[in-house]
Amino acid sequence: MRTNLDFSPLFRSSIGFERMLNALEAAGRAETIDNWPPYDIVKTGENDYRIAMAVAGFSQDELAITQEQNMLMVSGQRADSEDAQYLHRGIAGRSFQRRFELADHVKVVDAGLVNGLLTIDLKHEIPEEMKPRQIEIKADGVLPKAETKQIEGEKQVAA
């Protein structure tokens, strides 16, 4: 039994979380999940990740990896060999498209295909201006004197 959650109160009371709330809404609308091709997502370091996808039967030319903003898309399109006559076809060779939602500042750093296993290495690179920084506290005890401005009072009108 699936219940739909209403995120509109969160939209009204939060600022800057639109992307996360939209992702939650999209996850609620997700239809049947296709489990092919199988994949793993592994955290290989503090800011490093790896996606390993089993793509047996696909060559490097039949695979495409595309990153647009915060979306990583992996797709495969096999070239049909029409002159082959299969008695049994057990290796899945159907086309696929797998999407991964990426957090801000996650970049693809490498991809490789070895023995039917596609690996995509990702790195979460936080910009320098967003990293925590230490603020110096001055101990001289003297605060800078604030400049006060006089607001003009009413001028008397000469009669």
Side-chain angles (χ1 to χ4, degrees):
M1 181 174 150
R2 170 168 269 184
T3 57
N4 291 332
L5 298 174
D6 181 17
F7 291 107
S8 56
L10 294 173
F11 278 111
R12 289 193 299 261
S13 64
S14 62
I15 299 169
F17 293 97
E18 297 86 12
R19 213 171 80 60
M20 178 188 63
L21 295 173
N22 288 334
L24 287 172
E25 278 187 334
R29 288 189 308 262
E31 294 176 14
T32 60
I33 298 174
D34 184 14
N35 290 329
W36 195 86
Y39 65 92
D40 293 334
I41 301 175
V42 181
K43 187 168 185 173
T44 58
E46 187 175 335
N47 293 317
D48 300 316
Y49 302 89
R50 173 174 286 154
I51 298 171
M53 187 176 295
V55 291
F58 284 86
S59 69
Q60 187 174 348
D61 298 334
E62 297 169 331
L63 297 170
I65 303 171
T66 309
Q67 182 179 3
E68 283 183 29
Q69 294 179 341
N70 293 33
M71 180 69 65
L72 177 68
M73 188 169 30
V74 181
S75 57
Q77 179 75 36
R78 279 196 65 185
D80 291 330
S81 62
E82 302 204 7
D83 43 331
Q85 186 177 10
Y86 291 96
L87 299 177
H88 171 73
R89 189 165 189 167
I91 299 174
R94 66 180 187 256
S95 299
F96 69 90
Q97 187 174 29
R98 172 79 58 194
R99 295 173 185 257
F100 298 94
E101 188 82 26
L102 301 178
D104 292 336
H105 312 295
V106 172
K107 307 287 185 230
V108 175
V109 292
D110 195 19
L113 179 63
V114 177
N115 295 332
L117 191 64
L118 175 67
T119 58
I120 304 167
D121 293 323
L122 307 163
K123 186 165 190 69
H124 190 196
E125 295 177 341
I126 301 170
E128 197 62 41
E129 61 270 5
M130 295 182 75
K131 290 182 181 177
R133 60 185 178 102
Q134 189 70 31
I135 308 298
E136 181 183 347
I137 301 172
K138 296 182 180 174
D140 59 1
V142 180
L143 294 175
K145 188 172 182 178
E147 185 179 316
T148 57
K149 293 185 177 182
Q150 177 80 23
I151 300 175
E152 276 188 44
E154 291 183 30
K155 294 183 178 179
Q156 291 183 349
V157 177

